Amino acid sequence: MQRLSRDSLPLGGFAGLREHRLVTDRRIFSRQESSATADGLGNFVYLADAQFNPLGETGMHPHKEIDVISVMIDGRVNHAGSLEHGKRLEAGDVQVQRAGGEGFSHNEINPDETKNRMIQLWVLPEEKSQAAGYKYYTPKPVGLTRIYGGDRTQSETFDSSTKIDILRLEANTSIKPPSESLSYVTSGQAHFIEGNESLSVKDGDLVRGNDIEVKAKTNTQIIVVR
């Protein structure tokens, strides 16, 4: 297993937010930008753990030929833009925006006078020139909730061979998602077990491994990319 800790990385940001970038895949970022961070997995190329300043916002900006996944951890944001303008995300909610060839513009706004926290992930499309689209999820309290990926015969998620799940475990429970994965812990503490190797992880840890068994020490939430 390989671990990268959020707190080992510099704090950057833009506009009204500050963020740690943990995944900046060399396919779309320069060698200098990606030297201290992790590469992605499959078509997953970017992960940032961001806190918005009180009343902060990203500012309206465009995306094209990228899928943008936003996972709300603490606080809330008001979503503005060309897709689902006026949507509000509360803690725990997830929005997924497919830019496609059509593209979209958005601005995420913290409506409160306290900081919030949001994880943003980017995934490259497997097929270019698709229509733009928007999906919204409230993950279930316990277990795996698929928020991205799957085949074209279903419409619950945007299709892709790269899959992203929200995993929520209660304390003293375990699960073993199969295959190679990148897992980002967003709350709680757990043990990751791969073969004879055991790793104690906490909020802010990004772990790459194969067939990892997750044993939660406390109530835990993890973003799992496969």
Side-chain angles (χ1 to χ4, degrees):
M1 288 182 287
Q2 298 174 312
R3 171 169 53 188
L4 177 64
S5 172
R6 173 193 61 208
D7 297 336
S8 70
L9 297 170
L11 181 67
F14 64 96
L17 76 160
R18 296 295 173 262
E19 63 183 5
H20 292 92
R21 295 182 172 187
L22 288 98
V23 175
T24 54
D25 193 282
R26 69 190 73 187
R27 285 173 287 179
I28 62 171
F29 292 90
S30 69
R31 183 179 298 274
Q32 182 177 0
E33 287 177 294
S34 61
S35 61
T37 62
D39 273 331
L41 180 68
N43 277 21
F44 165 59
V45 293
Y46 177 80
L47 184 151
D49 190 331
Q51 282 193 314
F52 287 67
N53 295 330
L55 305 178
E57 57 186 87
T58 64
M60 191 68 71
H61 60 282
H63 291 280
K64 198 169 185 179
E65 299 293 9
I66 198 80
D67 295 338
V68 178
I69 299 104
S70 303
V71 181
M72 204 70 213
I73 305 300
D74 296 310
R76 54 187 182 165
V77 297
N78 291 338
H79 167 73
S82 55
L83 300 173
E84 293 293 323
H85 179 81
K87 187 76 172 177
R88 171 169 285 183
L89 272 69
E90 307 280 350
D93 293 342
V94 178
Q95 73 177 5
V96 184
Q97 299 174 86
R98 169 157 281 180
E102 183 179 354
F104 69 84
S105 296
H106 72 137
N107 182 17
E108 310 301 339
I109 305 156
N110 180 7
D112 300 314
E113 294 185 357
T114 55
K115 289 183 177 181
N116 64 9
R117 182 183 174 202
M118 186 179 77
I119 313 299
Q120 186 166 107
L121 308 96
W122 293 355
V123 185
L124 297 173
E126 294 182 347
E127 178 184 338
K128 292 193 173 183
S129 302
Q130 293 177 299
Y134 183 99
K135 292 185 182 291
Y136 168 86
Y137 305 93
T138 300
K140 54 192 177 184
V142 178
L144 282 165
T145 302
R146 176 65 44 82
I147 59 167
Y148 183 87
D151 61 41
R152 297 184 182 183
T153 63
Q154 55 82 45
S155 59
E156 287 297 311
T157 55
F158 288 124
D159 61 279
S160 176
S161 60
T162 300
K163 301 175 180 66
I164 302 176
D165 298 315
I166 302 295
L167 171 61
R168 290 175 173 171
L169 290 177
E170 295 179 323
N172 303 313
T173 62
S174 64
I175 192 172
K176 188 176 182 181
S179 72
E180 183 183 7
S181 61
L182 266 176
S183 298
Y184 187 58
V185 183
T186 58
S187 67
Q189 297 179 337
H191 284 296
F192 281 13
I193 301 169
E194 181 186 85
N196 295 322
E197 184 181 2
S198 179
L199 190 64
S200 182
V201 299
K202 60 180 175 51
D203 184 4
D205 284 342
L206 177 73
V207 178
R208 186 188 304 269
N210 286 282
D211 299 326
I212 292 174
E213 181 180 6
V214 181
K215 291 187 174 182
K217 295 193 286 186
T218 65
N219 291 351
T220 302
Q221 177 172 292
I222 303 169
I223 300 171
V224 182
V225 181
R226 292 183 281 156

